[in-house]
Amino acid sequence: MWPLFALFLGLAVGSFLNVVIHRLPRGESVVYPPSRCPQCGHRLGPWDLVPVLSYLALKGRCRYCARPISPRYPLVEALTGGLFLLASLFYPPGVEALLVFLFLAFLVALAFIDVDTFELPDPLTYGLLFLGLLASWALAFPLPFRESLDGSLMAAGGLALVAGYGNFFLRRFREGRAEVPVGPHQVHMAALFGALLGPGVGMALAFLAWALSARTGRAVALPDRLTLPLLPLAFLLAPALGLDFLESLKGSLLAAGGLALAGGLYWAFRPLPEEGEEEEPVAMGYGDVKLLGALGAWLGPYAFLALFLGVFAGALLGLLLRQRKLPFGPYLALGGVVAFFFGEALWGAYLRLLGV
């Protein structure tokens, strides 16, 4: 009975997620007005909104204008229902199951919005992040709070550095424009100092640079052509400062992740830049960094398994479709779901394969 209830609940939540996916990027309310046909604007009745079944009964066409309905709608409903059904096999009825349902709903919405817009909305990425941290703090679920917080910061820091090096290579090693008061330059600086001096000092120095940038109106940060090449050397020099390689790496990722997520939250509330401001080409946006940080709050170190699975799935599909530009969010979401339910089993199988 519980799996059946979870399936029907997932179908209903999937119907609501269709509204979120359609309206949130447009800045529209997800509550009002009631659902309407996107083609003719006619208000939909209860019989038009039965998940999956209405689409099949109407043969994929609007009852009022007879225009085709996107198959995306029943796909989102069926996918959400299937994921909730999967979750019900792992978690009995209770608060933990409810939290997992919310986790899955956030990922479905983020994945499909990224497909449509190549953007991951801050209300959803940070909502998923703070929900994971809150659940860990209040219930020690899905992880103890310290493990959840470290997982979030390290995952965000790791992908922020991947993005930093990718963008540096994309610019052919030319210095990019430093954002005021905070941006990737301060994140890379935090990573360098975090590797050498520990995460607390690394974050403190980068926050100081942020404050000075805000005070002076000019970017206060070390250039990327200095911090990014020096970071690998910092890991090699760490033993001379009494740190081993893993301590130095962890300090770097924690400091970078703290700056990346704090800076992203700042820009989430800042007014958009004026039209006409030219944007530099990037290999990866910070929306993916925030999403992986959110996954880290739920998965801990298995967030890096989610990243690996996402990169593998995205690269495979990119080769099959011969696409050079793909939204990364759906593949991170896929990797997150697999790592959440099967991460421990996959890691155990990998260790057995190595004979460990």
Side-chain angles (χ1 to χ4, degrees), residues 135-271:
S136 296
W137 174 76
L139 303 172
F141 176 85
L143 303 166
F145 179 71
R146 183 57 185 269
E147 188 175 342
S148 176
L149 180 60
D150 284 356
S152 175
L153 297 182
M154 291 178 65
L159 195 54
L161 289 175
V162 170
Y165 281 107
N167 296 335
F168 194 49
F169 295 149
L170 183 65
R171 295 192 302 265
R172 299 180 181 179
F173 309 105
R174 293 193 299 268
E175 189 67 26
R177 182 180 65 248
E179 297 184 17
V180 179
V182 63
H185 282 75
Q186 283 88 354
V187 172
H188 305 155
M189 189 171 73
L192 177 61
F193 289 128
L196 293 172
L197 305 174
V201 176
M203 276 192 271
L205 291 174
F207 275 113
L208 177 61
W210 179 349
L212 291 174
S213 296
R215 178 71 175 175
T216 62
R218 296 187 300 173
V220 177
L222 296 176
D224 282 349
R225 59 176 177 267
L226 180 64
T227 55
L228 292 177
L230 283 180
L231 182 57
L233 295 177
F235 296 138
L236 299 177
L237 293 174
L241 299 174
L243 299 171
D244 62 28
F245 173 79
L246 290 180
E247 283 181 303
S248 180
L249 178 61
K250 182 177 181 180
S252 178
L253 296 182
L254 286 173
L259 257 292
L261 293 176
L265 191 60
Y266 166 82
W267 286 110
F269 288 97
R270 183 185 183 275

Side-chain angles (χ1 to χ4, degrees), residues 106-121:
F106 270 97
L107 289 183
V108 171
L110 283 163
F112 282 93
I113 289 175
D114 201 20
V115 168
D116 289 341
T117 66
F118 281 87
E119 293 182 358
L120 293 164

Side-chain angles (χ1 to χ4, degrees), residues 18-41:
N18 276 319
V19 178
V20 174
I21 292 165
H22 179 76
R23 296 187 184 182
L24 187 62
R26 295 170 171 81
E28 301 173 357
S29 170
V30 299
V31 178
Y32 184 85
S35 296
R36 299 174 182 271
C37 171
Q39 308 271 11
C40 65

